Amino acid sequence: MDFGDDGFSAVKLFNQGYSYTYDDVIFLPHYIDFPTDAVSLFSSFSRNLKLSTPCVASPMDTVTESSMATAMASLGAIGIVHSNNTSSEQAFLVRAAKSYRIPFSSDLIFLSSSDSILSEDFFNSSPCAFVTESGNRQSKFLGIVSRSDWEALGDKEVRVSDYMRKSPVQFLPNGCNVEHVAGFLAKETHELVPLVSSDCTDEGQTIKGFPKLGFPSVGPDGKFLVGAAIGTRESDKVRLDHLVKAGVNAVVLDSSQGNSIYQLEMIKYIKRTYPDLDVIGGNVVTMRQAENLISAGVDGLRVGMGSGSICTTQEVCAVGRGQATAVYKVSSFAAQQGIPVIADGGISNSGHIVKALVLGASTVMMGSFLAGSTEAPGTYHDQNGVRVKKYRGMGSLEAMTKGSDARYLGDTAKLKIAQGVVGAVADKGSVLKFIPYTMQAVKQGFQDLGASSVQSAHDLLRSGTLRLEVRTGAAQVEGGVHGLVSYEKRSF
């Protein structure tokens, strides 16, 4: 039987002259032959940077500073520190976020199983001690004594053999790099793991207070990956120097319309001056825009114009594109050049993330989705009985007074035209809690589509295996909660 008319291929759907948003389209389910836990969301943020959680915190002054960047990196995602500040202030925020690192320790404490620990001073600053047959580094490993286990003892004079965590303790080879060690600790929910060569303990590694929520985003030096936004003015070259010295891993050229001579020249300057630094260009919504930036040397593209909840660009300027169409069109071209796409804007639930990733994006950038969280800048206040935090568009007049007007190429204009608004977002709690739940929902969406990875989703879409349809207004209502007098909606 021919099922060719059961839905549309992406090629056919997105070439009919309509500008679709995420809510306009729906995927038809595919065949499931794997469990949800088998879904991998590893993806590329840029040409050289990989993430285990395909989420990016937007460079907005009410979304991403050091706390958000640190939290996102610990989750396997990445935060982009905003540039609505001085270059030294921005560099300080980057440096603060990167000050958290996964510590390796070679100054280890050894003892034998017959020893007793009588004082807390024995541990010095170490969280544990290693027990071997002879009480030294060269003898057989027997187990671990943690400071917390010792502190819980009633009788401190007992031998360590009575309460040590006995072998077999899981080991890793001494040659493991920091990414493998961090990923192992996160996956196995361990606080430490010995790195061994042959039969002796060479090094130990520990993480204290590390969220066991996924493979963290770390560089070869063990420090968290952190990005930062810059503009295209001459002064941004000085800002760039400050950021590189602070250890930034990638820069995002922050412009609402990235296809400009100013951005092209800045991309070329950055690649000449710092060839190893990844550069994200944008924002773009068409293939022609993408082609210009890719030719200039970008390592990633940011897609979206006027799709953010606080953005009024399409209303004010009559320019932009529906986000579903923009992501599909740009990523279809960028994929041929090996350039990852960041879907920026329009994300308000896990289903939107699924749609963005399947339509071709490698990661999603979020503003309002993360605003109002514990890690977002600002203080909470009461608004009609609801605990909220301020959330404003970088095109709002309020943000422009601090310098974000350069993002809209309006820093020299005498009359400022707002392309965003100032609002408030309800308290969401910590991203360390709701992002993992959101990603689990995304994995379930991928399972329903028969895609076990981001790349397999892209392959299924481009081959025409995955089918889509446009939803009518009534279908969108039916697809949400409806027909109830009252209800309580909880995501987890």
Side-chain angles (χ1 to χ4, degrees):
M1 184 178 293
D2 182 12
F3 297 106
D5 292 332
D6 199 358
F8 296 90
S9 67
V11 172
K12 185 172 183 179
L13 184 72
F14 288 106
N15 281 288
Q16 298 177 353
Y18 293 99
S19 191
Y20 294 121
T21 68
Y22 293 136
D23 284 337
D24 288 328
V25 298
I26 192 74
F27 291 109
L28 302 186
H30 190 43
Y31 178 67
I32 297 174
D33 59 358
F34 53 86
T36 306
D37 289 344
V39 176
S40 170
L41 296 178
F42 270 87
S43 193
S44 296
F45 166 70
S46 61
R47 200 195 304 263
N48 300 302
L49 298 179
K50 309 288 185 181
L51 303 176
S52 64
T53 300
C55 296
V56 184
S58 180
M60 304 173 73
D61 60 8
T62 51
V63 177
T64 310
E65 291 187 346
S66 57
S67 293
M68 181 65 75
T70 300
M72 293 296 282
S74 73
L75 291 166
I78 192 170
I80 312 300
V81 178
H82 72 87
S83 59
N84 213 16
N85 47 25
T86 67
S87 57
S88 58
E89 288 170 343
Q90 188 183 24
F92 173 82
L93 294 174
V94 170
R95 196 174 288 110
K98 293 185 68 67
S99 66
Y100 293 86
R101 72 186 309 272
I102 297 174
F104 282 81
S105 174
S106 57
D107 186 19
L108 304 179
I109 302 170
F110 293 90
L111 70 167
S112 71
S113 60
S114 61
D115 289 336
S116 298
I117 301 174
L118 303 178
S119 170
E120 186 177 14
D121 294 338
F122 173 84
F123 290 98
N124 195 7
S125 60
S126 176
C128 68
F130 292 87
V131 184
T132 62
E133 281 187 344
S134 302
N136 58 47
R137 183 186 295 266
Q138 282 70 40
S139 58
K140 183 180 178 181
F141 181 83
L142 299 177
I144 291 175
V145 174
S146 73
R147 180 196 290 264
S148 59
D149 288 346
W150 177 84
E151 290 174 343
L153 288 175
D155 181 6
K156 306 295 187 187
E157 295 185 359
V158 298
R159 295 181 177 184
V160 297
S161 58
D162 292 340
Y163 62 93
M164 71 179 185
R165 303 180 192 180
K166 297 180 181 179
S167 193
V169 172
Q170 290 177 285
F171 301 92
L172 287 179
N174 189 34
C176 275
N177 62 28
V178 68
E179 292 95 333
H180 288 120
V181 173
F184 172 85
L185 289 166
K187 180 180 179 183
E188 303 297 333
T189 67
H190 292 332
E191 290 184 351
L192 54 89
V193 59
L195 305 184
V196 302
S197 58
S198 65
D199 62 345
C200 63
T201 301
D202 284 346
E203 290 188 274
Q205 198 268 0
T206 182
I207 293 178
K208 299 184 68 177
F210 182 81
K212 310 297 190 297
L213 300 171
F215 198 126
S217 302
V218 293
D221 58 358
K223 295 182 179 181
F224 285 154
L225 298 183
V226 179
I230 65 171
T232 57
R233 295 169 295 186
E234 193 66 25
S235 60
D236 284 295
K237 294 178 180 179
V238 176
R239 181 182 291 272
L240 176 66
D241 293 338
H242 281 274
L243 292 172
V244 170
K245 290 176 182 176
V248 74
N249 299 101
V251 291
V252 173
L253 295 181
D254 200 20
S255 174
S256 64
Q257 212 284 52
N259 187 28
S260 69
I261 185 63
Y262 315 110
Q263 185 159 146
L264 296 177
E265 290 179 349
M266 180 60 83
I267 292 167
K268 294 173 183 176
Y269 170 80
I270 296 172
K271 299 310 288 186
R272 281 197 314 270
T273 311
Y274 300 106
D276 296 328
L277 180 65
D278 275 21
V279 182
I280 310 300
N283 281 28
V284 298
V285 293
T286 72
M287 291 184 283
R288 183 171 283 105
Q289 285 180 301
E291 181 182 31
N292 285 343
L293 298 187
I294 292 173
S295 297
V298 294
D299 301 292
L301 287 169
R302 189 175 167 196
V303 175
M305 189 173 185
S307 56
S309 63
I310 39 65
C311 186
T312 60
T313 297
Q314 293 185 20
E315 176 186 329
V316 172
C317 300
V319 178
R321 200 172 204 175
Q323 187 67 342
T325 299
V327 169
Y328 173 74
K329 289 288 190 177
V330 174
S331 62
S332 295
F333 175 79
Q336 299 173 28
Q337 318 300 317
I339 301 299
V341 159
I342 303 167
D344 175 23
I347 301 295
S348 59
N349 54 53
S350 58
H352 290 163
I353 297 175
V354 173
K355 291 176 182 179
L357 294 176
V358 176
L359 287 173
S362 293
T363 56
V364 294
M365 180 173 280
M366 299 176 290
S368 63
F369 197 83
L370 303 175
S373 66
T374 305
E375 292 78 11
T379 58
Y380 289 106
H381 63 275
D382 183 88
Q383 183 173 299
N384 300 322
V386 178
R387 194 167 184 254
V388 301
K389 268 188 182 180
K390 178 188 289 187
Y391 176 53
R392 67 186 183 191
M394 298 303 282
S396 66
L397 290 176
E398 183 177 290
M400 283 186 177
T401 60
K402 293 191 66 178
S404 69
D405 49 351
R407 185 178 190 272
Y408 297 84
L409 304 179
D411 54 323
T412 59
K414 294 181 179 179
L415 185 62
K416 308 296 183 185
I417 304 299
Q419 294 184 43
V421 300
V422 179
V425 178
D427 178 10
K428 293 187 176 77
S430 174
V431 298
L432 298 175
K433 183 176 181 180
F434 69 77
I435 288 295
Y437 282 99
T438 301
M439 289 301 103
Q440 185 62 25
V442 171
K443 287 184 177 182
Q444 290 179 5
F446 269 60
Q447 182 192 37
D448 285 340
L449 293 170
S452 59
S453 68
V454 175
Q455 185 58 54
S456 67
H458 293 172
D459 294 341
L460 288 169
L461 184 82
R462 289 164 188 157
S463 68
T465 303
L466 285 185
R467 314 293 284 184
L468 303 90
E469 288 181 345
V470 177
R471 296 198 295 175
T472 64
Q476 293 183 40
V477 172
E478 182 184 67
V481 180
H482 62 280
L484 302 178
V485 174
S486 65
Y487 65 92
E488 180 184 3
K489 188 175 183 179
R490 298 180 62 184
S491 298
F492 53 85

